[in-house]
């Protein structure tokens, strides 16, 4: 009886041992694979045209709502596109161009997304479907450019952190940035509910770029 029981249990025990071995191997190798050498010196990144990785880019907006909260929302994944031409010998000569689909707002509520994105009282994306930013000046830690929103163009300066350049274990190359800034929506003719909803809009940007293929 014991021999028969052992014969029935052996395949299950073997499968369990194989699975345990695989998990153990994964736990040892994955942390090593997940690490990439990040170079903080901009000169380490290769020259060429770099394009936005839409999967790893976000623009979050924050306003004060009737003095009770700091309401936060974002643009939907894939709504942002952009690129820049890069020369590691002259990083401050970089020219950045970003385009955003004004109608692709993500509040988590589809009807509200449409209202914010297309209604003339808000982003008016039905009339002005694109928001653009074209850089005019690059300084250490600063990026200044012309922001066109709702058909109005105004200069905006962002505080930018260069997070570095890396080659991933999967063969891709990345340059990553974080940026913050502030605009007054009334500068762009967007005065609905001011001051109950703040005129100031805080911007938070996370972006990764890859070499253009």
């Amino acid at each position: 009886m014991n021999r028969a029981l052992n014969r029935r249990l052996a395949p299950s025990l073997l499968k369990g041992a194989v699975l345990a071995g695989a998990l153990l191997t994964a736990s040892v190798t994955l942390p090593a694979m997940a690490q990439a050498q990040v170079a903080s010196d901009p000169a380490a990144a290769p020259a060429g045209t770099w394009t936005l990785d839409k999967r790893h880019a976000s623009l979050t907006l924050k306003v004060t709502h009737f003095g009770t909260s700091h309401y936060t929302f974002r643009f939907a994944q894939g709504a942002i596109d952009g690129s820049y031409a890069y020369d590691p010998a002259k990083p401050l000569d970089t020219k950045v161009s970003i385009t955003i689909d004004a109608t692709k707002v993500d509040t988590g509520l589809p009807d509200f997304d449409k209202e914010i994105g297309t209604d003339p009282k808000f982003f008016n994306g039905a009339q002005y479907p694109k928001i653009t930013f074209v850089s005019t000046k690059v300084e250490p830690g600063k990026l200044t450019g012309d922001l066109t929103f709702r058909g109005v163009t105004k200069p905006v300066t962002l505080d930018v952190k260069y997070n570095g350049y890396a080659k991933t274990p999967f063969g891709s190359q990345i340059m990553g940035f974080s940026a913050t800034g502030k605009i007054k929506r009334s500068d762009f003719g967007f005065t609905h509910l001011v001051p109950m909803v703040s005129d100031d809009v805080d911007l938070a940007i996370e972006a990764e770029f890859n070499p253009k293929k």
Side-chain angles (χ1 to χ4, degrees):
M1 181 177 179
N2 288 339
R3 290 179 180 176
L5 181 60
N6 288 339
R7 283 197 297 271
R8 288 198 298 269
L9 290 177
S12 298
L13 292 173
L14 180 59
K15 289 180 181 178
V18 171
L19 177 60
L23 291 174
L24 180 60
T25 301
S27 67
V28 172
T29 59
L30 282 179
M33 283 185 63
Q35 295 178 3
Q37 295 297 319
V38 180
S40 59
D41 182 358
T49 299
W50 290 71
T51 59
L52 187 70
D53 179 354
K54 294 183 179 182
R55 299 169 301 173
H56 298 103
S58 64
L59 170 53
T60 304
L61 304 90
K62 183 168 64 176
V63 294
T64 301
H65 187 254
F66 288 85
T68 62
S69 69
H70 292 89
Y71 180 71
T72 302
F73 62 103
R74 58 176 290 169
F75 284 97
Q77 202 76 18
I80 309 169
D81 201 1
S83 65
Y84 56 86
Y86 183 69
D87 181 352
K90 300 176 181 179
L92 298 185
D93 289 346
T94 301
K95 301 294 184 182
V96 182
S97 179
I98 301 294
T99 301
I100 304 168
D101 187 334
T103 67
K104 291 186 176 179
V105 176
D106 182 7
T107 67
L109 300 169
D111 289 343
F112 196 32
D113 295 346
K114 184 177 180 180
E115 182 181 5
I116 296 293
T118 62
D119 194 301
K121 297 191 301 293
F122 292 98
F123 287 7
N124 199 11
Q127 184 174 357
Y128 303 106
K130 298 297 181 183
I131 301 169
T132 62
F133 177 87
V134 180
S135 68
T136 56
K137 186 178 182 179
V138 179
E139 304 170 272
K142 300 283 185 182
L143 177 65
T144 299
D146 290 329
L147 176 66
T148 301
F149 174 39
R150 291 170 49 97
V152 179
T153 301
K154 295 285 184 179
V156 171
T157 297
L158 302 173
D159 294 317
V160 179
K161 179 185 177 184
Y162 176 65
N163 295 322
Y165 162 76
K167 293 182 179 179
T168 75
F170 310 105
S172 60
Q173 299 180 71
I174 301 170
M175 269 204 277
F177 303 84
S178 300
T180 57
K182 189 186 295 286
I183 63 170
K184 285 189 177 295
R185 56 192 183 93
S186 60
D187 286 345
F188 301 90
F190 180 15
T191 59
H192 183 55
L193 295 177
V194 174
M196 293 173 286
V197 177
S198 63
D199 192 10
D200 287 341
V201 182
D202 292 319
L203 310 174
I205 301 159
E206 297 293 335
E208 293 181 12
F209 291 81
N210 308 125
K212 184 177 181 180
K213 296 180 179 180

